[in-house]
Amino acid sequence: MKRILLAFALLLCTNFLFAQRGSITGVLLDSTNQKLTLNYATVSVFKGTDTVLTTYKLSDDKGVFKISNLEAGIKYRLVVNAWMYNVLRKEVTLSPTALNLDLGKLLLSGKTNNLNEVVINSERPPIIVRKDTIEFNAESFKTLPTAVVEDLLKKLPGVAISSDGSIQVNGKTVSKILVDGKEFFGGDQQMATKNLPANIIDKIQVSDDKEAKRRDPDLLAGNTPQVINLKLKKAIKKGAFGKLYAGGGPNDLFEAGGIMNFFRDTTQVSVLAYGNNINKPGFSIGDVSRIGGFSRAGINSIMINSEGGFELNNIGFGGTSTGVQQSLGAGANFNTLTKNGIKINGKYFFGQAKTLIDQFVGVDQNLGSEKQYTSTFSNLKNKSYNHNFGARAEWKIDSLTEFSFEPTVTLNILRNLGITQTENRNTTNQLINNGVNNSRFRGDNADYSLLTSLWKDFKKAGRSLNTSVSLTKKDNLSDNFNSSNSNFYLPAPSTLSIDQLRDNNIRNFGIYLSANYNEPIGKKLRLSLAVGANYLDNENALSTFYKNPLDQAYDVEVPNLSQTVTQSGYKSNTRTSLRWKATKDLSIQPGFVFNTIDLKNNFSTYPSFEQHYQFIAPSLNITYKSLNLSYSPSFREPDVKYIQPVTNNTDPLFEQKGNPNLLPAKSYQVNLNFYKYDTKRSLNYNLNSNGSVQNNAVIMARTISPTGVQTNTPINADGIWRFYLGGNINKDFKNGTRQFTFGTGFYSNYTRNIVQVNDVRSYAKTITIAPRISGRINLNDKFELGESYSVAYNKSTYDDPFYRDLNFYTHNSETELIVRLPKKMVWETTYKIQHNTQKTAGFSNNVEIWNAALTLLFMKNDRAQLKFAINDILNTNTRRYISISENSIRDTRTNNLGRHGLVTLTYNIQNFGGKVGGKDTFFRF
């Protein structure tokens, strides 16, 4: 990798040494009123009579422009375009003796006729800035034949796309993407950006979101969401797009799948299917949310692991960061718009995963002059099956009223087997105890939900009403069989054997109603009122049975390990505030929060009790330009699983108790956010800070018996502090075919928690400081190099000398190299390294992952791709994670797939009203 970087540096030096380069500057003024500067006008540069754009710049807010990196001795043609002004053309040549040319004042005359603007195609400017719209000429920004709209947007000045696909233009969030002025695939942004080919786009138009400004008239210009409209070269009425892939490798490794979208006018159908045994999701999370239709149906929950595996709405789509997994799935999604303007969506998805996990967990627990070291080896075989049925209807009753209706059913089946070996040792490495635990888990879960909402805007700007009703029902039924043998060596030898069934059935039912109302009071005041009411009826029925030695059935109930808890009642949450727009840039919004809790808790063998609480506290929100400061309180009762007075003894060496005397937790949060985008310098920077103080927080009080058995009991504690501070600075350099992105930032955490072991209580103060730096260079899409590096310092200190201070560093580096030479070949490699300074005997602190691949492109528009990949070349088949928790350092190591090769053929389908794959259409619709 060092040789690659050195060669690249030499290449750049050679490029700049052998070419004398200079700059052209000037100021753009109105020819009639020369005190009037022409701001954000486009200055395009062409070579001689060439019609291919060389570079361009926008004038700043004072009408000044500067175009750098121009070669001496070459005749350039400058073309200046400003809204409502005639085009200005000027020929210039830089002299080797005068590389920096100042053109002085350039005067543009205003248009004097009302005819439509005439644009000469050979000199179409890359950017036209009108009063409320920025328009980009797509042909001025070259992309690869396989490029999609997202690749095109990345080349536009001021446009930034994050890893999750969200888009910002000049620091403002994009709220909507239109195609020829209309919604595409139900308004799903990424359906258009990640699937429409870039070569069918004529113009990209960016303007303010007028609907957002109507709903919030006080919205600052810097916070106004943007709308992107993609103007196509020709209208799209029907077509199909998607991809098919299949691959295999040694040791019976395989991957295969297909994902397709068919559309005609306002109707779309999506289908997908996949399967693999290489720890990968069948598709990216973007493919499933866009092409698979989840974005159109609504995403309620997302889980993403470190290796790219993910779940949407509790449905797994494969991929794991732990163990070795085989996964498969299939589904379909339907979306249409009726003549009455009702959007209808229906979907079904099925996912299955089988995972084998070998895991080691080492916990180094300090206890004053003593310590207890726990090592646990686990072998797990987990199976999961998921079914998701869903539908959604959205009805725009009129221009001011919208209604939605969304039912969902999710079924989840779990079948897990495991064997765990645990041992505990003391400071002198003397064995305290050890044990073997065999477990068999069966879970059958069903979630049912129904959500309806009504949004009503009024003709009076700023007045709105949003109401919703949500019904949920969850049945989580589980059987946990476990047989264990535990040996204790201190203070005297003894053994304990358990063979039991823990039957736990949890049922939850809830109805939630909410209403939000906004009312403008004069020009500077606005009243906001939000009311939420919740009825809940929950049951946690736990029965524990020992195995009957006579018939081997689990039918001997254990009364002290069995308990049924029911919890029912009402909760409410009312928030009201008054927003005062003090000045153009400053708004102050004081308010208060009022919560109530009225719950009945009934136990089968424990005295029942009621909970009646009221909580009122002030709130505040202050906004000044791009700076926002907020303070808000919250109030929450303990989870029913914490108040169940039964010991969980499925692991005899680590027991968990319940506490029915827990009180609701009170939290007070402060948030400070600052975001700024410098249009002139293509620079964005932000600062985020938040903190909270929590009283009656739930912590775990731990006791360690002389035999080494650890027991956790939830208790309330005051004075829990959590603070976060982070910031980022990012700079984009986009000059024709060259792009460079530089970023730096940091995050830091400070936590003051409470640790309590054997009645010794102490504040545990943990601090993390993690700076990072990254950069990426792209030369005409032929050469791409990206590098990121971060270091994190972790330290934990304690007030009581019973606990020992802990600290360590973590270093992370990731390098990516892509070379698209020669034509039709793509070379790529990634190298990641993680180093942890925490010493652990017998195990390397370095985790290195090196992947490489060669892709061959063929067929029209490079639709077909043959990829030869080698993953984990260094065969680092163990993943490692170290963390500080309470008075312990936890070291987790998990097996992985290890080194493996794969050959995969992918065929991309992009058919927009024409033929795909030769004489006959590949798919018909």
Side-chain angles (χ1 to χ4, degrees):
M1 185 57 64
K2 291 182 179 179
R3 293 180 179 178
I4 294 173
L5 294 175
L6 179 59
F8 176 62
L10 291 175
L11 177 65
L12 289 180
C13 291
T14 303
N15 185 36
F16 288 109
L17 284 174
F18 287 93
Q20 288 184 300
R21 297 178 181 273
S23 64
I24 298 175
T25 59
V27 58
L28 304 179
L29 302 173
D30 183 287
S31 61
T32 303
N33 179 10
Q34 296 188 19
K35 293 183 179 181
L36 178 62
T37 61
L38 304 185
N39 307 334
Y40 307 113
T42 307
V43 183
S44 306
V45 180
F46 302 85
K47 286 185 178 180
T49 59
D50 197 348
T51 60
V52 177
L53 181 71
T54 299
T55 187
Y56 66 92
K57 283 291 181 180
L58 292 180
S59 60
D60 63 15
D61 54 1
K62 296 179 181 179
V64 177
F65 69 89
K66 181 179 181 180
I67 302 175
S68 304
N69 203 31
L70 298 178
E71 296 182 36
I74 294 180
K75 181 184 291 185
Y76 289 104
R77 186 173 77 260
L78 271 62
V79 180
V80 182
N81 294 83
W83 184 60
M84 299 299 293
Y85 285 84
N86 292 312
V87 177
L88 172 67
R89 297 177 179 84
K90 188 175 184 63
E91 292 186 351
V92 295
T93 303
L94 295 180
S95 169
T97 59
L99 294 175
N100 299 313
L101 177 62
D102 187 355
L103 298 178
K105 298 178 180 180
L106 297 179
L107 306 180
L108 278 73
S109 60
K111 291 183 178 178
T112 57
N113 59 66
N114 295 322
L115 298 177
N116 292 330
E117 179 182 4
V118 178
V119 178
I120 302 175
N121 288 328
S122 62
E123 293 181 345
R124 286 182 64 185
I127 305 175
I128 298 176
V129 180
R130 295 187 171 90
K131 182 178 180 180
D132 56 356
T133 303
I134 303 174
E135 183 176 283
F136 299 93
N137 171 26
E139 291 184 350
S140 298
F141 305 91
K142 300 302 180 183
T143 57
L144 295 171
T146 55
V148 292
V149 168
E150 183 178 78
D151 301 312
L152 175 60
L153 293 176
K154 289 179 179 178
K155 293 183 176 293
L156 305 183
V159 177
I161 301 180
S162 63
S163 57
D164 63 1
S166 59
I167 305 171
Q168 287 187 331
V169 178
N170 295 331
K172 304 175 185 178
T173 301
V174 172
S175 59
K176 189 182 301 182
I177 289 186
L178 307 176
V179 176
D180 278 338
K182 300 178 182 178
E183 288 190 349
F184 184 69
F185 266 75
D188 182 0
Q189 290 189 27
Q190 297 184 39
M191 180 63 73
T193 61
K194 291 183 178 291
N195 293 285
L196 288 178
N199 56 21
I200 70 171
I201 305 299
D202 181 40
K203 300 175 183 177
I204 302 101
Q205 298 171 331
V206 181
S207 58
D208 288 344
D209 187 336
K210 296 179 179 179
E211 184 176 343
K213 294 184 71 173
R214 177 174 57 82
R215 289 183 173 178
D216 186 359
D218 299 329
L219 196 63
L220 299 176
N223 298 329
T224 303
Q226 301 293 284
V227 174
I228 290 179
N229 182 36
L230 303 174
K231 297 289 290 184
L232 305 180
K233 293 180 179 178
K234 57 181 180 180
I236 296 176
K237 294 297 183 182
K238 63 180 180 179
F241 58 84
K243 65 180 178 180
L244 304 171
Y245 70 90
N251 302 320
D252 298 323
L253 297 179
F254 73 93
E255 65 172 345
I259 187 167
M260 281 298 304
N261 254 287
F262 309 93
F263 64 93
R264 170 175 286 178
D265 297 323
T266 57
T267 299
Q268 301 97 30
V269 177
S270 310
V271 293
L272 68 82
Y274 69 90
N276 70 73
N277 61 356
I278 55 173
N279 285 17
K280 286 176 59 178
F283 304 95
S284 70
I285 190 170
D287 284 342
V288 172
S289 61
R290 297 183 320 275
I291 309 179
F294 267 79
S295 293
R296 301 190 298 279
I299 298 176
N300 301 316
S301 65
I302 299 177
M303 186 284 295
I304 304 174
N305 64 47
S306 59
E307 298 294 320
F310 63 92
E311 293 182 1
L312 296 180
N313 296 349
N314 297 317
I315 301 177
F317 287 90
T320 180
S321 58
T322 58
V324 177
Q325 185 183 85
Q326 177 177 323
S327 61
L328 61 88
N333 185 287
F334 172 80
N335 190 73
T336 191
L337 178 65
T338 69
K339 294 180 179 180
N340 296 326
I342 301 176
K343 298 179 185 177
I344 299 176
N345 173 271
K347 70 175 185 292
Y348 165 73
F349 285 91
F350 166 75
Q352 173 185 310
K354 300 178 181 179
T355 309
L356 303 178
I357 300 175
D358 291 320
Q359 187 176 76
F360 166 78
V361 178
V363 180
D364 188 351
Q365 186 175 179
N366 68 79
L367 305 167
S369 60
E370 300 294 325
K371 77 171 185 177
Q372 182 162 314
Y373 183 77
T374 304
S375 57
T376 303
F377 296 87
S378 301
N379 179 268
L380 309 174
K381 299 179 181 179
N382 299 335
K383 297 181 181 179
S384 65
Y385 309 86
N386 299 282
H387 301 267
N388 181 274
F389 306 83
R392 182 180 177 86
E394 296 182 23
W395 181 23
K396 194 172 182 64
I397 301 173
D398 53 46
S399 61
L400 300 176
T401 310
E402 296 180 10
F403 175 78
S404 68
F405 177 83
E406 182 179 355
T408 303
V409 177
T410 301
L411 306 177
N412 173 248
I413 301 172
L414 301 174
R415 298 292 184 264
N416 301 336
L417 294 174
I419 180 170
T420 302
Q421 301 178 60
T422 304
E423 68 173 30
N424 286 279
R425 294 181 178 271
N426 60 18
T427 307
T428 61
N429 203 34
Q430 186 177 8
L431 186 63
I432 303 174
N433 60 50
N434 60 18
V436 177
N437 194 340
N438 290 276
S439 63
R440 178 164 53 95
F441 180 84
R442 298 187 312 196
D444 296 281
N445 306 319
D447 292 359
Y448 310 91
S449 67
L450 176 63
L451 173 65
T452 62
S453 63
L454 177 69
W455 182 280
K456 175 67 176 178
D457 282 329
F458 297 87
K459 292 182 179 180
K460 184 177 181 179
R463 178 185 293 172
S464 65
L465 174 65
N466 182 22
T467 62
S468 67
V469 179
S470 174
L471 284 78
T472 60
K473 186 178 187 301
K474 299 182 179 181
D475 294 326
N476 300 325
L477 314 178
S478 64
D479 291 329
N480 192 352
F481 300 84
N482 72 285
S483 61
S484 62
N485 291 289
S486 304
N487 303 303
F488 303 93
Y489 302 97
L490 295 177
S494 62
T495 60
L496 174 65
S497 296
I498 294 177
D499 194 351
Q500 67 180 23
L501 161 63
R502 185 179 171 90
D503 184 355
N504 197 185
N505 297 328
I506 301 175
R507 294 181 171 86
N508 300 317
F509 176 77
I511 302 175
Y512 183 77
L513 297 90
S514 68
N516 295 274
Y517 180 72
N518 294 285
E519 175 65 31
I521 306 175
K523 294 182 178 180
K524 293 190 174 183
L525 291 178
R526 187 179 69 182
L527 175 68
S528 296
L529 177 65
V531 179
N534 188 15
Y535 168 76
L536 56 89
D537 186 2
N538 302 326
E539 179 185 74
N540 189 330
L542 172 64
S543 299
T544 303
F545 302 91
Y546 286 155
K547 179 184 283 187
N548 191 327
L550 298 179
D551 57 7
Q552 301 299 302
Y554 291 93
D555 56 8
V556 181
E557 187 172 10
V558 187
N560 65 319
L561 296 178
S562 302
Q563 186 73 245
T564 297
V565 181
T566 60
Q567 185 182 69
S568 61
Y570 300 88
K571 298 190 299 180
S572 70
N573 181 4
T574 302
R575 293 174 178 265
T576 185
S577 62
L578 187 65
R579 182 177 178 180
W580 173 43
K581 192 171 180 60
T583 67
K584 177 182 177 182
D585 299 322
L586 174 66
S587 65
I588 302 174
Q589 189 170 354
F592 72 88
V593 175
F594 178 63
N595 289 6
T596 64
I597 295 178
D598 295 281
L599 299 175
K600 295 181 179 180
N601 300 280
N602 297 309
F603 303 83
S604 56
T605 61
Y606 188 89
S608 300
F609 64 92
E610 297 184 0
Q611 295 172 296
H612 300 284
Y613 301 100
Q614 292 183 346
F615 174 74
I616 186 169
S619 64
L620 179 65
N621 187 289
I622 300 175
T623 301
Y624 178 72
K625 293 186 177 180
S626 299
L627 180 68
N628 179 260
L629 173 67
S630 66
Y631 163 77
S632 61
S634 63
F635 188 62
R636 182 174 180 176
E637 79 282 1
D639 194 282
V640 67
K641 68 180 180 181
Y642 287 136
I643 67 174
Q644 190 175 51
V646 175
T647 300
N648 184 343
N649 70 333
T650 50
D651 186 342
L653 303 181
F654 299 90
E655 296 183 341
Q656 174 74 50
K657 288 188 174 181
N659 181 4
N661 299 314
L662 290 175
L663 299 174
K666 301 177 182 179
S667 296
Y668 307 88
Q669 298 93 24
V670 176
N671 294 277
L672 177 65
N673 300 293
F674 174 77
Y675 184 88
K676 180 68 175 179
Y677 184 85
D678 188 330
T679 305
K680 180 180 178 181
R681 298 177 177 85
S682 296
L683 177 71
N684 71 71
Y685 42 95
N686 62 76
L687 186 69
N688 301 291
S689 178
N690 60 71
S692 68
V693 176
Q694 191 173 33
N695 293 327
N696 286 337
V698 175
I699 68 168
M700 291 297 170
R702 187 162 65 258
T703 60
I704 304 176
S705 71
T707 61
V709 175
Q710 302 185 49
T711 303
N712 283 341
T713 303
I715 62 172
N716 289 120
D718 292 339
I720 306 299
W721 296 356
R722 291 184 175 88
F723 297 97
Y724 168 85
L725 176 64
N728 296 280
I729 299 176
N730 294 284
K731 168 71 174 175
D732 286 336
F733 302 88
K734 297 181 179 181
N735 184 7
T737 59
R738 297 176 180 177
Q739 297 184 56
F740 178 69
T741 301
F742 173 79
T744 184
F746 75 98
Y747 76 87
S748 58
N749 289 298
Y750 174 79
T751 301
R752 191 185 78 169
N753 212 329
I754 294 177
V755 57
Q756 180 171 320
V757 180
N758 288 345
D759 294 327
V760 179
R761 174 178 284 207
S762 172
Y763 282 119
K765 302 170 184 176
T766 302
I767 185 171
T768 300
I769 302 174
R772 61 185 178 274
I773 189 171
S774 64
R776 188 173 189 89
I777 189 166
N778 182 340
L779 301 180
N780 199 26
D781 289 327
K782 302 297 184 184
F783 182 95
E784 292 186 54
L785 178 65
E787 174 65 37
S788 64
Y789 170 76
S790 65
V791 59
Y793 173 68
N794 305 270
K795 183 177 182 180
S796 187
T797 60
Y798 305 86
D799 291 341
D800 196 294
F802 182 74
Y803 304 104
R804 185 178 69 254
D805 293 350
L806 307 168
N807 66 84
F808 64 89
Y809 285 90
T810 300
H811 302 265
N812 291 279
S813 173
E814 180 173 354
T815 305
E816 180 185 28
L817 175 65
I818 303 173
V819 179
R820 297 184 178 91
L821 291 172
K823 193 175 182 179
K824 303 293 184 180
M825 297 179 69
V826 181
W827 307 80
E828 56 186 317
T829 184
T830 60
Y831 177 73
K832 302 178 184 179
I833 184 169
Q834 173 189 307
H835 175 73
N836 195 298
T837 61
Q838 177 61 34
K839 302 297 183 183
T840 304
F843 189 84
S844 171
N845 284 342
N846 290 340
V847 176
E848 301 175 73
I849 305 174
W850 181 21
N851 302 325
L854 168 63
T855 303
L856 305 178
L857 310 176
F858 50 98
M859 299 186 69
K860 185 178 180 181
N861 290 330
D862 298 335
R863 287 182 179 176
Q865 305 169 9
L866 185 62
K867 185 175 184 177
F868 302 86
I870 302 178
N871 297 277
D872 202 356
I873 296 173
L874 302 178
N875 203 27
T876 309
N877 58 359
T878 300
R879 300 293 185 261
R880 189 184 188 203
Y881 178 72
I882 293 180
S883 63
I884 295 178
S885 176
E886 295 184 329
N887 64 322
S888 306
I889 289 183
R890 178 177 292 268
D891 183 1
T892 303
R893 312 169 194 170
T894 309
N895 69 313
N896 202 268
L897 197 59
R899 182 192 297 129
H900 62 281
L902 212 66
V903 180
T904 303
L905 176 64
T906 301
Y907 182 80
N908 292 288
I909 297 105
Q910 291 180 336
N911 174 26
F912 296 90
K915 296 181 179 179
V916 175
K919 297 181 179 179
D920 300 321
T921 56
F922 197 87
F923 286 91
R924 296 184 183 274
F925 181 67

